Amino acid sequence: MPTAFAYESMDTLFLQRTERSPLLEFDFVGRRLRIEGESYPEDAAAFFGPVLKSLESYLSELSVQRPSSPLRLELRMAYFNSSSAKALMNIFQMLESAARQGVPVEVHWYYDPEDETMQEFGEDFSEDLEYARFNLHELEAQPS
Amino acid sequence: MSMAEDYFRFHQKMVGEGVIFSFVGYLSEGILFSLGEALKQKMRLDATDANVTKRVFAIFVEQVQNIIRYSAERLESDEGRPNELSSGMITVGREEGHFFVVCGNCVLRDEGEALTRRLTALAAMDKDSIKTYYREKLREPAEEGSRGASIGLIEIARRSTRPIEFGLTELSGDRAFFCLKAFI
């Protein structure tokens, strides 16, 4: 498997989309996080581990800063396996706990209206969040 | 019988049982990816409903990853997990208007019995209970040493449109052969 193009600095965490792993772009300064595509990496723990770690330290900084404008997570997933679902749940749990401590958090879950699995996952995850605001959006049809 | 006749019968038997493809032997993550691509392409060409294709693909991925992680017949390199090869079988096919995905591999007998207990509980659940169980497991911290199989099995049961079927047969020593079949 080719290694994903990755870039990490104080400001950004970027992992290019591969055949089996999603695009991941965390703009820490702009407080905008994006995860898009398919996720069934060979080793989900190895893929998501470093991501969860940087998110954790970023969120602990935000909990001190208490920004007034929200942290925004956007997800546009097409498929993920069960180990990736676990990692996504970890991300939501971290965001929920930051939100409980006063960091404004918005989650935006975009799904293809014809994809019943991704719609159902969005609905399920939304029920797990209380302090973080969860928004479900239908993706517009792509012009063919 | 000639070799060609012999293999033709073997081929015809598989086709007759609705097999789209079947793989027996050492599986790796690379093979999972390639077979998965071929499966999606075949189903697209057959104009299969996109949601059905996604269910079949999701079950296929979880089954193959379970073989790779849990087969008792495994070759592991010094470089660790991404290079492991595990022996098993995976078959995707159609019968009576439904797709099926079946996997089989050798396990330690104790592990096989533990698996059977988990699956017996899962097979008895209705759709809503499976969904609730999945969500509970997702919220729990990861089980030590499990590498995620329990949630993978629930995902298989959840995407299957009929109760999952499974079995275990004892082999010599401390081994057993385990198989699991899901229908979509």
Side-chain angles (χ1 to χ4, degrees):
Chain A
M1 286 297 291
T3 315
F5 172 72
Y7 173 77
E8 187 173 7
S9 73
M10 296 289 282
D11 300 341
T12 322
L13 170 69
F14 179 73
L15 294 174
Q16 195 171 52
R17 181 196 303 243
T18 71
E19 286 166 333
R20 304 180 51 178
S21 66
L23 165 92
L24 223 136
E25 187 175 35
F26 287 5
D27 170 3
F28 294 128
V29 177
R31 289 200 286 279
R32 182 164 179 252
L33 319 177
R34 272 201 305 150
I35 309 176
E36 295 181 11
E38 293 193 314
S39 183
Y40 57 116
E42 290 185 356
D43 188 340
F47 179 80
F48 284 104
V51 173
L52 293 169
K53 227 174 155 188
S54 6
L55 183 61
E56 191 174 24
S57 57
Y58 173 62
L59 289 174
S60 65
E61 276 174 41
L62 280 193
S63 305
V64 178
Q65 291 172 11
R66 299 278 189 98
S68 53
S69 67
L71 166 68
R72 187 182 167 95
L73 168 65
E74 294 175 18
L75 297 119
R76 290 175 183 81
M77 302 306 295
Y79 165 70
F80 47 89
N81 68 347
S82 60
S83 355
S84 301
K86 192 94 196 166
L88 290 179
M89 179 52 104
N90 286 340
I91 291 175
F92 291 134
Q93 285 171 329
M94 285 163 69
L95 291 176
E96 175 70 1
S97 124
R100 197 180 298 124
Q101 289 165 46
V103 179
V105 177
E106 280 180 13
V107 177
H108 296 272
W109 182 274
Y110 295 85
Y111 64 93
D112 177 343
E114 286 175 14
D115 186 342
E116 53 196 34
T117 307
M118 287 305 120
Q119 177 174 359
E120 193 182 12
F121 266 118
E123 290 164 359
D124 287 356
F125 282 132
S126 76
E127 287 175 33
D128 287 309
L129 300 183
E130 191 182 335
Y131 291 88
R133 279 188 48 194
F134 199 100
N135 303 276
L136 281 164
H137 309 274
E138 284 190 9
L139 278 168
E140 309 264 329
Q142 299 290 316
S144 50
Chain B
M1 205 188 324
S2 74
M3 188 176 74
E5 281 172 315
D6 210 9
Y7 280 109
F8 181 66
R9 280 181 193 214
F10 177 65
H11 175 260
Q12 287 303 97
K13 184 178 187 308
M14 300 290 264
V15 171
E17 288 181 16
V19 170
I20 295 171
F21 71 71
S22 183
F23 183 96
V24 180
Y26 280 93
L27 278 158
S28 66
E29 287 281 344
I31 293 169
L32 156 70
F33 176 73
S34 307
L35 287 180
E37 285 296 295
L39 175 62
K40 283 194 283 190
Q41 195 180 346
K42 161 80 173 122
M43 294 182 81
R44 259 197 303 271
L45 289 173
D46 290 347
T48 311
D49 176 88
N51 283 306
V52 172
T53 302
K54 287 196 164 208
R55 280 172 181 265
V56 172
F57 181 72
I59 291 172
F60 166 82
V61 169
E62 300 297 337
Q63 286 193 344
V64 176
Q65 288 190 326
N66 277 348
I67 294 174
I68 294 172
R69 292 167 195 180
Y70 298 101
S71 170
E73 287 180 275
R74 177 160 54 219
L75 303 172
E76 224 161 320
S77 84
D78 297 338
E79 293 159 65
R81 283 182 197 173
N83 295 301
E84 67 198 355
L85 276 172
S86 302
S87 186
M89 54 158 284
I90 178 90
T91 300
V92 182
R94 288 199 81 151
E95 62 184 32
E96 296 159 16
H98 289 274
F99 285 94
F100 66 86
V101 187
V102 56
C103 64
N105 58 276
C106 287
V107 292
L108 294 173
R109 193 175 300 156
D110 296 349
E111 290 173 359
E113 283 164 4
L115 258 174
T116 306
R117 280 193 294 275
R118 281 178 172 178
L119 290 167
T120 305
L122 264 177
M125 290 183 187
D126 63 20
K127 280 285 142 197
D128 286 343
S129 316
I130 294 173
K131 181 175 161 169
T132 309
Y133 187 40
Y134 183 99
R135 294 186 56 200
E136 272 170 27
K137 280 282 170 191
L138 210 54
R139 282 193 297 264
E140 276 176 14
E143 285 170 47
E144 279 293 313
S146 128
R147 295 172 72 183
S150 52
I151 194 108
L153 295 177
I154 309 170
E155 168 78 2
I156 292 168
R158 194 174 173 185
R159 301 296 151 223
S160 182
T161 51
R162 275 203 259 161
I164 46 172
E165 293 177 9
F166 52 92
L168 193 67
T169 184
E170 293 195 2
L171 304 175
S172 61
D174 57 356
R175 302 283 166 111
F177 184 81
F178 164 77
C179 66
L180 169 62
K181 190 171 189 178
F183 298 88
I184 306 95

